[in-house]
């Protein structure tokens, strides 16, 4: 497939997708058969007694549902250099690192060429549907992408984030060229060792090629918002660079300086134009279309933990369309956005039945089986029901078999016979002390309700996280906020009360009324605190393009809690249930 990538045929890709999704059940059986045949010699499958069988029934009877914890001993052997067929038929030579923001430390996940293939299939499918609605002619993309360094594990395997493994694949560039969206930044900027210097140069490249930029993108919405918040601080410096044709001394990486010197020529006219545009904006509203007049849309993952950044992204984008990217994880891709006209809040993702074998655990059953200590019974891809919520189980070509992803999705409908999913939340509860159960979405709803109060004073919540404080009895919820200005004590006390009463979970409200859970606490941190948290994760080897702010800081996030605690400037206790 990838050899022919030079002649990207939009209609052909759409036709292939339509054919695959019309017969999703057969395609799923075929996909499972191929995965199991290719990996029949794997020690993991041999020990489970599959004996070369490849039908779904035998597979489910012999292979248990697992999480990363159960596979860790096998993965550790691979990392340490055991080259035998452990999880896959062919030896694994590369590892992906998850973002590490959920558990506090990155997880290693096996990666291989087949996963690169599935990545390209997702990219091509969603591009075909997107380009049919919003055609991009031969322009450039301002892509805020950053490739962290690949490093070698103890056993000599290459390891890096999933995005890094994609960007560093020799065929990636060729595939992107075929998708008509070459990045306007040179490789030296994308692969630069210093994120802050790369970001500055991405912005500079975007301005140099401003007329050619047809879309603005990043892996996650957070990176786009972060980029334009940075632009607010450095725009005058960028204009000076363009006017004089000399790169600022803040860029110290020799390879980046050399690459940028080839692009940067004195251009006072462009510098004056950008200055005029910036001065003419009201509170930076519509910044993106002002800077890039030919941009058709802003593109990146905007659902799930990225939803809180949509309001700010819309502010920067003005009337420009926001299109959400596809649905996947470090463990593999799942589904493509084939309805790009839908706003991110309503986005659904159609599962590609040929890129992995998928099962779905009904959430209602999951709640019941927790207490009965029996294994939940997943259903197949075409057996899910519209309106129901499920936890996804994935079997991929890189050694994950019946792997519980920890994502909860809702089935919104079907595209032919494949389901269209809406991401709901991570299955793990964020906040719980007693009988209370609050998810990431519940936290987001509470923060959005309280943020409306400060919005009245032209203030905004830049970022937030939470913590369960059980250091004293009774335990209570702590919400950390970073705000972009000064709010009165009276207003912040009101926000604190609003947060407390916005958690409507019955277990929470009854526990608050009986004082089994103490008053919620709002801690306001100084400006720049969440940047320090981002820098902390970058120091651990996380890639910015995969970074997600941890929405709950638990025991595994000791350093993050320390950063937050050291930067608290004000603290408020709720009086809602007094």
């Amino acid at each position: 497939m990838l050899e022919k990538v030079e002649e990207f045929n939009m209609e052909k890709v759409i036709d292939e997708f339509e054919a695959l999704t019309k017969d999703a059940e057969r395609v799923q059986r075929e996909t499972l058969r191929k995965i199991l045949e290719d990996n029949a010699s794997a020690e993991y499958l041999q020990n489970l007694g599959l004996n070369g069988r490849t039908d779904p029934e035998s597979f489910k009877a012999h292979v248990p549902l697992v999480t990363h914890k159960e596979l860790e001993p096998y993965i550790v052997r691979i990392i340490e250099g055991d080259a035998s067929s452990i999880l896959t038929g062919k030896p694994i030579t590369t590892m992906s690192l998850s973002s590490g923001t959920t558990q506090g430390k990155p997880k290693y996940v096996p990666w291989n060429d087949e996963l690169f293939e599935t990545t390209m299939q997702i990219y091509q499918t969603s591009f075909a549907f997107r380009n049919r609605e919003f055609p991009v002619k031969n322009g450039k993309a301002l892509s805020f992408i950053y490739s962290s360094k690949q490093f070698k594990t103890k056993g000599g395997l290459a390891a890096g984030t999933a995005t890094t493994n994609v960007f560093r694949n020799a065929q990636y560039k060729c595939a992107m060229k075929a998708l008509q969206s070459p990045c306007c930044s040179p490789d030296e900027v994308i692969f630069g060792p210093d994120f802050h210097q790369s970001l500055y140069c991405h912005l500079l490249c975007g301005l140099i090629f401003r007329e050619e930029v047809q879309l603005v993108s990043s892996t996650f919405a957070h990176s786009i918002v972060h980029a334009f918040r940075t632009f607010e601080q450095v725009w005058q410096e960028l204009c000076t660079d363009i006017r004089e044709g000399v790169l600022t001394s803040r860029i110290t990486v020799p390879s980046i300086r050399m690459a940028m010197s080839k692009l940067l020529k004195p251009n006072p006219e462009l510098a004056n134009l950008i200055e005029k545009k910036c001065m003419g904006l009201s509170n930076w509203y519509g910044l993106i279309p002002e800077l890039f007049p030919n941009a058709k849309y802003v593109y990146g993952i905007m659902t799930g933990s990225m939803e809180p950044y949509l309001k700010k992204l819309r502010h920067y984008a003005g009337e420009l369309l926001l299109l959400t990217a596809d649905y996947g994880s470090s463990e593999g891709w799942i589904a493509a956005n084939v309805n790009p006209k839908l706003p991110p809040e309503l986005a659904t993702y159609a599962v590609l039945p040929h890129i992995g074998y998928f099962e779905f655990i009904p959430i209602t059953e999951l709640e019941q089986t927790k207490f009965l200590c029996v294994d939940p019974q997943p259903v197949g891809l075409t057996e899910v029901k519209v309106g129901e919520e499920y936890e996804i189980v994935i079997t991929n070509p890189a050694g994950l078999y019946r792997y519980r992803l920890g994502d909860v999705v809702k089935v919104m409908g079907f595209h032919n016979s494949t389901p269209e999913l809406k991401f709901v939340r991570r299955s793990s509860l964020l906040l719980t002390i007693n009988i209370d159960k609050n998810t990431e979405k519940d936290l987001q709803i509470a923060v959005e309700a309280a943020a409306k109060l400060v919005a009245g004073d032209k203030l905004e919540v830049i970022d937030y996280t939470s913590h369960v404080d059980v250091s004293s009895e009774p335990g209570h919820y702590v919400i950390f906020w970073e705000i972009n200005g000064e709010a009165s004590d009276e207003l912040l006390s009101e926000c604190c009360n609003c947060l407390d009463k916005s958690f409507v979970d019955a277990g929470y409200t009854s526990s608050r009324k009986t004082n089994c859970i103490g008053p919620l606490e709002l801690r306001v941190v100084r400006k720049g605190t969440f940047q320090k948290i981002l820098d902390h994760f970058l120091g651990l080897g996380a890639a910015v393009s995969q970074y997600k702010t941890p929405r709950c800081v638990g025991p595994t996030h000791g350093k993050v809690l320390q950063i937050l605690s050291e930067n608290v400037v004000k603290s408020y206790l709720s009086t809602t249930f007094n």
Side-chain angles (χ1 to χ4, degrees), residues 457-526:
D457 275 17
K458 300 274 187 289
L459 294 169
E460 62 174 308
V461 177
I462 290 176
D463 221 331
Y464 66 90
T465 188
S466 64
H467 170 63
V468 168
D469 188 343
V470 287
S471 61
S472 57
E473 282 287 326
H476 68 287
Y477 290 7
V478 178
I479 310 293
F480 293 94
W481 269 16
E482 183 178 322
I483 312 175
N484 68 337
E486 288 293 316
S488 68
D489 288 339
E490 189 186 3
L491 178 58
L492 290 168
S493 295
E494 201 185 328
C495 290
C496 182
N497 288 342
C498 178
L499 284 164
D500 205 4
K501 63 172 180 272
S502 296
F503 286 105
V504 293
D505 165 62
Y508 181 76
T509 51
S510 61
S511 298
R512 281 287 287 113
K513 283 171 185 165
T514 56
N515 205 34
C516 295
I517 294 178
L520 180 140
E521 187 180 359
L522 171 61
R523 295 181 192 168
V524 179
V525 295
R526 58 175 63 86

Side-chain angles (χ1 to χ4, degrees), residues 269-282:
E269 199 183 326
L270 176 59
N272 293 340
L273 176 68
I274 293 161
E275 264 177 5
K276 194 174 159 207
K277 297 271 184 201
C278 291
M279 306 289 271
L281 289 171
S282 165

Side-chain angles (χ1 to χ4, degrees), residues 363 366-368 370-371 425 427-443 468 477 502-511 517:
I363 289 299
L366 206 52
E367 299 299 331
Q368 294 156 4
K370 250 180 208 159
F371 303 108
R425 63 176 191 276
S427 62
S428 48
L429 292 170
L430 270 194
L431 297 165
T432 179
I433 292 173
N434 187 20
I435 54 167
D436 49 316
K437 291 186 175 73
N438 282 301
T439 64
E440 186 172 317
K441 190 71 185 167
D442 298 320
L443 173 63
V468 168
Y477 290 7
S502 296
F503 286 105
V504 293
D505 165 62
Y508 181 76
T509 51
S510 61
S511 298
I517 294 178

Side-chain angles (χ1 to χ4, degrees), residues 55 322 338 443 487 517:
D55 60 287
L322 300 187
V338 297
L443 173 63
I517 294 178

Side-chain angles (χ1 to χ4, degrees), residues 13-236:
V13 170
I14 291 174
D15 289 347
E16 279 171 9
F17 175 77
E18 295 296 346
L20 286 163
T21 55
K22 279 195 176 96
D23 203 355
E25 191 186 351
R26 181 192 61 75
V27 174
Q28 277 281 276
R29 291 183 85 94
E30 192 55 35
T31 304
L32 179 65
R33 184 187 64 73
K34 184 166 182 349
I35 290 171
L36 295 179
E37 272 179 7
D38 288 350
N39 299 302
S41 60
E43 176 192 318
Y44 181 78
L45 293 178
Q46 298 245 328
N47 290 350
L48 292 168
L50 258 187
N51 294 331
R53 282 173 292 199
T54 61
D55 60 287
E57 296 73 23
S58 302
F59 177 62
K60 290 173 188 176
H62 287 84
V63 179
L65 293 169
V66 294
T67 62
H68 192 270
K69 196 170 144 203
E70 284 87 37
L71 292 185
E72 208 155 8
Y74 299 94
I75 292 171
V76 167
R77 282 173 54 198
I78 298 170
I79 291 168
E80 290 181 349
D82 186 337
S84 61
S85 298
I86 298 173
L87 288 171
T88 50
K90 284 190 295 193
I92 291 285
T93 56
T94 310
M95 283 283 166
S96 277
L97 285 167
S98 70
S99 61
T101 45
T102 314
Q103 299 297 332
K105 68 175 200 302
K107 295 186 308 230
Y108 284 95
V109 181
W111 167 273
N112 61 11
D113 288 343
E114 284 78 7
L115 281 194
F116 178 78
E117 289 265 348
T118 63
T119 303
M120 288 301 112
Q121 284 166 351
I122 285 271
Y123 283 4
Q124 291 181 341
T125 304
S126 65
F127 177 80
F129 280 93
R130 193 165 73 248
N131 219 44
R132 187 166 70 174
E133 301 294 347
F134 312 106
V136 169
K137 299 290 184 296
N138 303 311
K140 291 183 185 293
L142 170 53
S143 298
F144 295 101
I145 51 177
Y146 310 90
S147 173
S148 64
K149 287 195 283 284
Q150 277 182 328
F151 60 91
K152 291 277 187 234
T153 68
K154 201 160 119 190
L157 275 70
T161 60
T163 44
T164 296
N165 292 333
V166 171
F167 299 153
R168 286 191 178 272
N169 190 300
Q171 292 169 313
Y172 174 73
K173 219 172 182 182
C174 145
M176 286 296 103
K177 201 171 272 177
L179 301 192
Q180 307 170 345
S181 53
C183 180
C184 55
S185 304
D187 283 357
E188 290 82 355
V189 171
I190 296 169
F191 293 97
D194 182 300
F195 155 65
H196 301 284
Q197 294 187 37
S198 289
L199 168 52
Y200 184 91
C201 291
H202 275 317
L203 289 167
L204 188 54
C205 291
L207 295 175
I208 292 168
F209 295 109
R210 70 183 289 268
E211 295 285 342
E212 293 173 60
V213 170
Q214 300 237 334
L215 65 133
V216 174
S217 72
S218 188
T219 310
F220 286 131
H222 170 267
S223 294
I224 305 173
V225 168
H226 185 79
F228 287 104
R229 281 194 196 280
T230 303
F231 181 86
E232 287 185 38
Q233 314 299 319
V234 302
W235 68 276
Q236 284 155 312

